[in-house]
Amino acid sequence: MIVTTTPSIEGHQITTYHGIVVGEAIMGANVVRDIFASITDIVGGRSGAYETKLQDARETALAELEQRAAAKGANAVVGVDLDYEVVGDTMLMVSASGTAVTVK
C-alpha cells in the first residue's frame, strides 16, 4: 500500500476515492521511564525511551490506517497527516488520517 502526505502519487492516476481513514494509537508511559526522562531533562540530552515509544505509536497508527484503507478496498492513502498529543500526564496519542484511494 502506498501511503503519502501528498495529495497525489506521481505516475499513478487516482480512479476511486473511498473516503477518510484514521488510525490512532494511545501509548502509556511508565514510572521508570518518567524518572529517567526527568533526569534527562535536568542534565540535557535526548530521551531514548520516549523516542522509542513515540516511534512505536506512530508505526501503530500508520498500520491501523493502512488496515482501514484496505478494508474499504483502497490500495493507497493520500494526504496523510500525523498529529501528536499528550493525554493526561503519561499517555501519548498519535493519530494518522488521510484519504483512502484506488490508484492504477
Side-chain angles (χ1 to χ4, degrees), residues 75-93:
N75 64 358
V77 183
V78 297
V80 172
D81 180 53
L82 293 169
D83 291 313
Y84 301 87
E85 296 290 333
V86 175
V87 180
D89 290 332
T90 60
M91 303 292 281
L92 170 69
M93 180 181 79

Side-chain angles (χ1 to χ4, degrees), residues 25-67:
I26 298 177
M27 309 293 249
N30 64 35
V31 175
V32 174
R33 185 179 297 123
D34 287 343
I35 291 169
F36 284 116
S38 297
I39 293 169
T40 301
D41 286 345
I42 293 168
V43 299
R46 296 170 62 169
S47 173
Y50 277 115
E51 288 177 1
T52 299
K53 190 56 95 172
L54 182 62
Q55 180 179 354
D56 291 345
R58 183 176 52 250
E59 289 172 359
T60 299
L62 287 169
E64 188 175 293
L65 176 87
E66 289 183 33
Q67 291 171 355

Side-chain angles (χ1 to χ4, degrees), residues 3 7 13 16 19 38 99:
V3 177
Q13 178 184 0
T16 308
S38 297
T99 302

